[in-house]
mmCIF file of all heavy atoms in Angstrom:
data_model
loop_
_atom_site.group_PDB
_atom_site.id
_atom_site.type_symbol
_atom_site.label_atom_id
_atom_site.label_comp_id
_atom_site.label_asym_id
_atom_site.label_seq_id
_atom_site.Cartn_x
_atom_site.Cartn_y
_atom_site.Cartn_z
ATOM 1 N N ILE B 1 60.978 37.588 22.493
ATOM 2 C CA ILE B 1 60.255 36.317 22.420
ATOM 3 C C ILE B 1 60.779 35.479 21.264
ATOM 4 O O ILE B 1 60.993 34.263 21.395
ATOM 5 C CB ILE B 1 58.745 36.562 22.262
ATOM 6 C CG1 ILE B 1 58.170 37.235 23.516
ATOM 7 C CG2 ILE B 1 58.018 35.249 21.986
ATOM 8 C CD1 ILE B 1 58.189 36.379 24.751
ATOM 9 N N LEU B 2 61.007 36.096 20.124
ATOM 10 C CA LEU B 2 61.518 35.366 18.967
ATOM 11 C C LEU B 2 62.896 34.771 19.255
ATOM 12 O O LEU B 2 63.193 33.634 18.860
ATOM 13 C CB LEU B 2 61.596 36.292 17.749
ATOM 14 C CG LEU B 2 60.249 36.750 17.172
ATOM 15 C CD1 LEU B 2 60.472 37.749 16.044
ATOM 16 C CD2 LEU B 2 59.441 35.569 16.670
ATOM 17 N N LEU B 3 63.732 35.531 19.945
ATOM 18 C CA LEU B 3 65.058 35.034 20.307
ATOM 19 C C LEU B 3 64.946 33.829 21.233
ATOM 20 O O LEU B 3 65.666 32.832 21.081
ATOM 21 C CB LEU B 3 65.863 36.147 20.967
ATOM 22 C CG LEU B 3 67.305 35.811 21.385
ATOM 23 C CD1 LEU B 3 68.136 35.392 20.180
ATOM 24 C CD2 LEU B 3 67.949 37.020 22.080
ATOM 25 N N LEU B 4 64.019 33.899 22.194
ATOM 26 C CA LEU B 4 63.822 32.769 23.099
ATOM 27 C C LEU B 4 63.266 31.556 22.357
ATOM 28 O O LEU B 4 63.638 30.414 22.650
ATOM 29 C CB LEU B 4 62.864 33.171 24.231
ATOM 30 C CG LEU B 4 63.426 34.116 25.292
ATOM 31 C CD1 LEU B 4 62.340 34.497 26.288
ATOM 32 C CD2 LEU B 4 64.606 33.485 26.017
ATOM 33 N N LEU B 5 62.379 31.777 21.400
ATOM 34 C CA LEU B 5 61.821 30.657 20.642
ATOM 35 C C LEU B 5 62.901 29.919 19.856
ATOM 36 O O LEU B 5 62.889 28.684 19.767
ATOM 37 C CB LEU B 5 60.731 31.164 19.694
ATOM 38 C CG LEU B 5 59.424 31.647 20.351
ATOM 39 C CD1 LEU B 5 58.466 32.176 19.300
ATOM 40 C CD2 LEU B 5 58.767 30.530 21.159
ATOM 41 N N VAL B 6 63.851 30.665 19.300
ATOM 42 C CA VAL B 6 64.974 30.029 18.607
ATOM 43 C C VAL B 6 65.793 29.199 19.600
ATOM 44 O O VAL B 6 66.236 28.078 19.298
ATOM 45 C CB VAL B 6 65.861 31.075 17.917
ATOM 46 C CG1 VAL B 6 67.117 30.429 17.344
ATOM 47 C CG2 VAL B 6 65.093 31.783 16.810
ATOM 48 N N THR B 7 65.981 29.720 20.791
ATOM 49 C CA THR B 7 66.724 28.998 21.827
ATOM 50 C C THR B 7 66.008 27.706 22.213
ATOM 51 O O THR B 7 66.637 26.648 22.369
ATOM 52 C CB THR B 7 66.897 29.885 23.063
ATOM 53 O OG1 THR B 7 67.580 31.090 22.698
ATOM 54 C CG2 THR B 7 67.711 29.171 24.136
ATOM 55 N N TYR B 8 64.689 27.775 22.371
ATOM 56 C CA TYR B 8 63.915 26.578 22.688
ATOM 57 C C TYR B 8 64.044 25.536 21.566
ATOM 58 O O TYR B 8 64.143 24.329 21.828
ATOM 59 C CB TYR B 8 62.441 26.925 22.891
ATOM 60 C CG TYR B 8 62.145 27.680 24.159
ATOM 61 C CD1 TYR B 8 61.442 28.880 24.144
ATOM 62 C CD2 TYR B 8 62.553 27.188 25.393
ATOM 63 C CE1 TYR B 8 61.151 29.569 25.301
ATOM 64 C CE2 TYR B 8 62.270 27.879 26.570
ATOM 65 C CZ TYR B 8 61.574 29.066 26.511
ATOM 66 O OH TYR B 8 61.303 29.743 27.673
ATOM 67 N N PHE B 9 64.021 25.997 20.330
ATOM 68 C CA PHE B 9 64.156 25.071 19.198
ATOM 69 C C PHE B 9 65.511 24.375 19.213
ATOM 70 O O PHE B 9 65.596 23.147 19.049
ATOM 71 C CB PHE B 9 63.970 25.834 17.879
ATOM 72 C CG PHE B 9 64.396 25.054 16.672
ATOM 73 C CD1 PHE B 9 63.620 24.008 16.194
ATOM 74 C CD2 PHE B 9 65.577 25.348 16.010
ATOM 75 C CE1 PHE B 9 64.012 23.271 15.087
ATOM 76 C CE2 PHE B 9 65.980 24.624 14.900
ATOM 77 C CZ PHE B 9 65.194 23.580 14.443
ATOM 78 N N MET B 10 66.575 25.150 19.419
ATOM 79 C CA MET B 10 67.915 24.566 19.440
ATOM 80 C C MET B 10 68.076 23.587 20.600
ATOM 81 O O MET B 10 68.741 22.554 20.479
ATOM 82 C CB MET B 10 68.965 25.676 19.538
ATOM 83 C CG MET B 10 68.925 26.680 18.398
ATOM 84 S SD MET B 10 69.241 25.930 16.791
ATOM 85 C CE MET B 10 71.012 25.798 16.855
ATOM 86 N N MET B 11 67.416 23.893 21.718
ATOM 87 C CA MET B 11 67.491 23.001 22.872
ATOM 88 C C MET B 11 66.857 21.653 22.555
ATOM 89 O O MET B 11 67.400 20.591 22.900
ATOM 90 C CB MET B 11 66.779 23.643 24.075
ATOM 91 C CG MET B 11 66.691 22.741 25.291
ATOM 92 S SD MET B 11 65.791 23.500 26.666
ATOM 93 C CE MET B 11 66.995 24.711 27.194
ATOM 94 N N SER B 12 65.696 21.675 21.891
ATOM 95 C CA SER B 12 65.020 20.412 21.581
ATOM 96 C C SER B 12 65.695 19.668 20.439
ATOM 97 O O SER B 12 65.593 18.441 20.346
ATOM 98 C CB SER B 12 63.551 20.680 21.223
ATOM 99 O OG SER B 12 63.454 21.443 20.038
ATOM 100 N N LEU B 13 66.387 20.396 19.557
ATOM 101 C CA LEU B 13 67.016 19.758 18.401
ATOM 102 C C LEU B 13 68.132 18.806 18.807
ATOM 103 O O LEU B 13 68.236 17.690 18.274
ATOM 104 C CB LEU B 13 67.559 20.831 17.449
ATOM 105 C CG LEU B 13 68.236 20.328 16.168
ATOM 106 C CD1 LEU B 13 67.225 19.588 15.291
ATOM 107 C CD2 LEU B 13 68.864 21.486 15.402
ATOM 108 N N THR B 14 68.965 19.213 19.751
ATOM 109 C CA THR B 14 70.114 18.373 20.138
ATOM 110 C C THR B 14 70.207 18.127 21.643
ATOM 111 O O THR B 14 71.026 17.322 22.074
ATOM 112 C CB THR B 14 71.430 19.029 19.680
ATOM 113 O OG1 THR B 14 71.527 20.347 20.253
ATOM 114 C CG2 THR B 14 71.472 19.155 18.163
ATOM 115 N N GLY B 15 69.370 18.802 22.423
ATOM 116 C CA GLY B 15 69.481 18.673 23.875
ATOM 117 C C GLY B 15 69.183 17.290 24.404
ATOM 118 O O GLY B 15 69.698 16.886 25.451
ATOM 119 N N ASN B 16 68.334 16.530 23.691
ATOM 120 C CA ASN B 16 67.951 15.197 24.146
ATOM 121 C C ASN B 16 68.774 14.090 23.507
ATOM 122 O O ASN B 16 68.336 12.935 23.460
ATOM 123 C CB ASN B 16 66.465 14.953 23.850
ATOM 124 C CG ASN B 16 65.560 15.661 24.839
ATOM 125 O OD1 ASN B 16 65.812 15.636 26.041
ATOM 126 N ND2 ASN B 16 64.520 16.292 24.329
ATOM 127 N N ALA B 17 69.957 14.408 23.012
ATOM 128 C CA ALA B 17 70.775 13.404 22.317
ATOM 129 C C ALA B 17 71.023 12.183 23.198
ATOM 130 O O ALA B 17 70.893 11.033 22.753
ATOM 131 C CB ALA B 17 72.105 14.033 21.881
ATOM 132 N N GLU B 18 71.376 12.410 24.457
ATOM 133 C CA GLU B 18 71.644 11.284 25.360
ATOM 134 C C GLU B 18 70.377 10.473 25.620
ATOM 135 O O GLU B 18 70.385 9.238 25.566
ATOM 136 C CB GLU B 18 72.213 11.792 26.696
ATOM 137 C CG GLU B 18 73.653 12.244 26.632
ATOM 138 C CD GLU B 18 73.784 13.682 26.134
ATOM 139 O OE1 GLU B 18 72.763 14.276 25.714
ATOM 140 O OE2 GLU B 18 74.898 14.215 26.145
ATOM 141 N N ALA B 19 69.294 11.172 25.935
ATOM 142 C CA ALA B 19 68.061 10.473 26.293
ATOM 143 C C ALA B 19 67.507 9.657 25.132
ATOM 144 O O ALA B 19 66.909 8.594 25.336
ATOM 145 C CB ALA B 19 67.018 11.484 26.770
ATOM 146 N N TRP B 20 67.694 10.131 23.912
ATOM 147 C CA TRP B 20 67.115 9.462 22.757
ATOM 148 C C TRP B 20 67.998 8.340 22.209
ATOM 149 O O TRP B 20 67.505 7.294 21.808
ATOM 150 C CB TRP B 20 66.856 10.483 21.644
ATOM 151 C CG TRP B 20 65.656 11.336 21.857
ATOM 152 C CD1 TRP B 20 65.176 11.793 23.058
ATOM 153 C CD2 TRP B 20 64.772 11.831 20.857
ATOM 154 N NE1 TRP B 20 64.058 12.546 22.866
ATOM 155 C CE2 TRP B 20 63.776 12.601 21.523
ATOM 156 C CE3 TRP B 20 64.725 11.726 19.481
ATOM 157 C CZ2 TRP B 20 62.757 13.237 20.843
ATOM 158 C CZ3 TRP B 20 63.703 12.366 18.806
ATOM 159 C CH2 TRP B 20 62.726 13.106 19.481
ATOM 160 N N PHE B 21 69.292 8.567 22.153
ATOM 161 C CA PHE B 21 70.168 7.667 21.401
ATOM 162 C C PHE B 21 71.129 6.859 22.266
ATOM 163 O O PHE B 21 71.917 6.086 21.729
ATOM 164 C CB PHE B 21 70.970 8.471 20.369
ATOM 165 C CG PHE B 21 70.114 9.231 19.403
ATOM 166 C CD1 PHE B 21 70.161 10.618 19.350
ATOM 167 C CD2 PHE B 21 69.241 8.569 18.562
ATOM 168 C CE1 PHE B 21 69.367 11.328 18.460
ATOM 169 C CE2 PHE B 21 68.442 9.263 17.660
ATOM 170 C CZ PHE B 21 68.499 10.648 17.613
ATOM 171 N N ILE B 22 71.074 7.037 23.588
ATOM 172 C CA ILE B 22 72.081 6.385 24.415
ATOM 173 C C ILE B 22 71.955 4.861 24.360
ATOM 174 O O ILE B 22 72.974 4.139 24.393
ATOM 175 C CB ILE B 22 72.005 6.894 25.875
ATOM 176 C CG1 ILE B 22 73.275 6.510 26.620
ATOM 177 C CG2 ILE B 22 70.770 6.363 26.579
ATOM 178 C CD1 ILE B 22 74.520 7.130 26.084
ATOM 179 N N VAL B 23 70.726 4.332 24.263
ATOM 180 C CA VAL B 23 70.562 2.877 24.232
ATOM 181 C C VAL B 23 71.214 2.296 22.978
ATOM 182 O O VAL B 23 72.017 1.353 23.052
ATOM 183 C CB VAL B 23 69.066 2.495 24.287
ATOM 184 C CG1 VAL B 23 68.918 0.969 24.192
ATOM 185 C CG2 VAL B 23 68.429 3.004 25.567
ATOM 186 N N ASP B 24 70.888 2.861 21.819
ATOM 187 C CA ASP B 24 71.478 2.362 20.579
ATOM 188 C C ASP B 24 72.970 2.664 20.523
ATOM 189 O O ASP B 24 73.755 1.902 19.946
ATOM 190 C CB ASP B 24 70.772 2.983 19.375
ATOM 191 C CG ASP B 24 71.100 2.264 18.075
ATOM 192 O OD1 ASP B 24 71.102 1.018 18.066
ATOM 193 O OD2 ASP B 24 71.378 2.953 17.080
ATOM 194 N N MET B 25 73.383 3.763 21.143
ATOM 195 C CA MET B 25 74.799 4.134 21.129
ATOM 196 C C MET B 25 75.647 3.114 21.887
ATOM 197 O O MET B 25 76.702 2.674 21.402
ATOM 198 C CB MET B 25 74.983 5.523 21.740
ATOM 199 C CG MET B 25 76.435 5.970 21.834
ATOM 200 S SD MET B 25 76.563 7.609 22.588
ATOM 201 C CE MET B 25 78.350 7.764 22.729
ATOM 202 N N VAL B 26 75.200 2.708 23.084
ATOM 203 C CA VAL B 26 75.989 1.740 23.857
ATOM 204 C C VAL B 26 75.950 0.361 23.200
ATOM 205 O O VAL B 26 76.916 -0.403 23.294
ATOM 206 C CB VAL B 26 75.510 1.662 25.325
ATOM 207 C CG1 VAL B 26 75.704 2.995 26.030
ATOM 208 C CG2 VAL B 26 74.063 1.221 25.422
ATOM 209 N N VAL B 27 74.828 0.040 22.514
ATOM 210 C CA VAL B 27 74.780 -1.225 21.766
ATOM 211 C C VAL B 27 75.810 -1.192 20.646
ATOM 212 O O VAL B 27 76.517 -2.174 20.386
ATOM 213 C CB VAL B 27 73.360 -1.468 21.216
ATOM 214 C CG1 VAL B 27 73.355 -2.648 20.249
ATOM 215 C CG2 VAL B 27 72.384 -1.724 22.352
ATOM 216 N N THR B 28 75.911 -0.039 19.968
ATOM 217 C CA THR B 28 76.896 0.118 18.902
ATOM 218 C C THR B 28 78.313 -0.037 19.425
ATOM 219 O O THR B 28 79.202 -0.564 18.727
ATOM 220 C CB THR B 28 76.740 1.509 18.246
ATOM 221 O OG1 THR B 28 75.407 1.640 17.750
ATOM 222 C CG2 THR B 28 77.716 1.694 17.098
ATOM 223 N N ARG B 29 78.548 0.371 20.669
ATOM 224 C CA ARG B 29 79.885 0.276 21.263
ATOM 225 C C ARG B 29 80.146 -1.081 21.913
ATOM 226 O O ARG B 29 81.161 -1.258 22.594
ATOM 227 C CB ARG B 29 80.087 1.401 22.277
ATOM 228 C CG ARG B 29 80.136 2.789 21.638
ATOM 229 C CD ARG B 29 80.514 3.858 22.640
ATOM 230 N NE ARG B 29 80.648 5.174 22.010
ATOM 231 C CZ ARG B 29 81.009 6.284 22.649
ATOM 232 N NH1 ARG B 29 81.279 6.225 23.964
ATOM 233 N NH2 ARG B 29 81.106 7.434 22.014
ATOM 234 N N GLY B 30 79.220 -2.001 21.758
ATOM 235 C CA GLY B 30 79.481 -3.364 22.224
ATOM 236 C C GLY B 30 78.827 -3.745 23.527
ATOM 237 O O GLY B 30 79.040 -4.863 24.015
ATOM 238 N N PHE B 31 78.013 -2.873 24.112
ATOM 239 C CA PHE B 31 77.319 -3.198 25.358
ATOM 240 C C PHE B 31 75.924 -3.756 25.033
ATOM 241 O O PHE B 31 75.473 -3.722 23.891
ATOM 242 C CB PHE B 31 77.214 -1.960 26.249
ATOM 243 C CG PHE B 31 78.555 -1.351 26.607
ATOM 244 C CD1 PHE B 31 79.026 -0.230 25.925
ATOM 245 C CD2 PHE B 31 79.348 -1.905 27.591
ATOM 246 C CE1 PHE B 31 80.252 0.335 26.236
ATOM 247 C CE2 PHE B 31 80.581 -1.356 27.905
ATOM 248 C CZ PHE B 31 81.038 -0.233 27.225
ATOM 249 N N THR B 32 75.211 -4.232 26.037
ATOM 250 C CA THR B 32 73.892 -4.815 25.825
ATOM 251 C C THR B 32 72.800 -3.743 25.846
ATOM 252 O O THR B 32 73.015 -2.632 26.352
ATOM 253 C CB THR B 32 73.572 -5.852 26.912
ATOM 254 O OG1 THR B 32 73.515 -5.197 28.191
ATOM 255 C CG2 THR B 32 74.646 -6.932 26.947
ATOM 256 N N ARG B 33 71.632 -4.112 25.295
ATOM 257 C CA ARG B 33 70.497 -3.189 25.326
ATOM 258 C C ARG B 33 70.050 -2.930 26.763
ATOM 259 O O ARG B 33 69.640 -1.821 27.112
ATOM 260 C CB ARG B 33 69.331 -3.784 24.524
ATOM 261 C CG ARG B 33 68.176 -2.802 24.286
ATOM 262 C CD ARG B 33 66.943 -3.512 23.754
ATOM 263 N NE ARG B 33 66.391 -4.411 24.757
ATOM 264 C CZ ARG B 33 65.837 -5.593 24.476
ATOM 265 N NH1 ARG B 33 65.800 -6.009 23.234
ATOM 266 N NH2 ARG B 33 65.346 -6.345 25.438
#
């Protein structure tokens, strides 16, 4: 269980990078919001 909990934590830490930052990321690259 402890091993799985660490896995769940790592998944939430970086797994949503696209969903969270994609809007600001494409704006940074010159596209519109």
Side-chain angles (χ1 to χ4, degrees):
I1 294 293
L2 291 175
L3 181 60
L4 287 176
L5 290 177
V6 173
T7 302
Y8 289 127
F9 167 74
M10 301 298 281
M11 175 182 287
S12 65
L13 181 64
T14 57
N16 283 316
E18 285 83 353
W20 283 34
F21 302 117
I22 196 63
V23 178
D24 194 44
M25 177 181 174
V26 297
V27 171
T28 302
R29 293 187 176 182
F31 301 100
T32 64
R33 190 192 67 216

